[in-house]
Amino acid sequence: MKNPNCGCCGVWVERMREAGFIVNVQEMADTSEVASAAGIPANLRSCHTAKVEGYAIEGHVPAEDIRTLIALKPDAVGLAVPGMPLGSPGMEVPGRAETYQVVLVAKDGNHRVFATHKGTADAHVH
């Protein structure tokens, strides 16, 4: 689910397709209900929510982390990149990148760091 007016969401979808994922897009003005229903706490939300093999993927999660999640199959809600960090997939801005974390969201709402990225978005294009 993504907001139809959000350009970075569309770019994230492109990055996932480039990485080999089949992506079906549904648009809605407010994705917070979808994120809530998926089990993503409010403090970990971003601008779009995806589902991959039963896991919630919130925000600008790199394809490599989604692949690792699927391979490990943890008993969890899914992954989240809170906010919209520059340099994450879909948030590429030439010359600007932030270090950001991907968190694994547990079914009880707790979370822990799953991966840390330096914000070099080129590393996320496969």
Side-chain angles (χ1 to χ4, degrees), residues 88-111:
S88 62
M91 289 296 297
E92 298 93 346
V93 176
R96 297 181 64 198
E98 303 169 337
T99 297
Y100 65 95
Q101 295 179 327
V102 177
V103 296
L104 180 70
V105 182
K107 291 183 177 177
D108 65 3
N110 288 320
H111 63 280

Side-chain angles (χ1 to χ4, degrees), residues 29-63:
D30 182 4
T31 62
S32 62
E33 286 183 29
V34 172
S36 181
I40 303 294
N43 64 324
L44 300 179
R45 293 193 189 145
S46 182
C47 53
H48 56 268
T49 306
K51 285 287 214 171
V52 178
E53 295 197 23
Y55 290 106
I57 306 298
E58 179 69 18
H60 296 270
V61 178

Side-chain angles (χ1 to χ4, degrees), residues 65-101:
D65 294 336
I66 297 170
R67 285 194 183 100
T68 301
L69 176 76
I70 293 167
L72 295 175
K73 296 183 182 358
D75 184 25
V77 168
L79 298 176
V81 172
M84 299 165 65
L86 294 178
S88 62
M91 289 296 297
E92 298 93 346
V93 176
R96 297 181 64 198
E98 303 169 337
T99 297
Y100 65 95
Q101 295 179 327

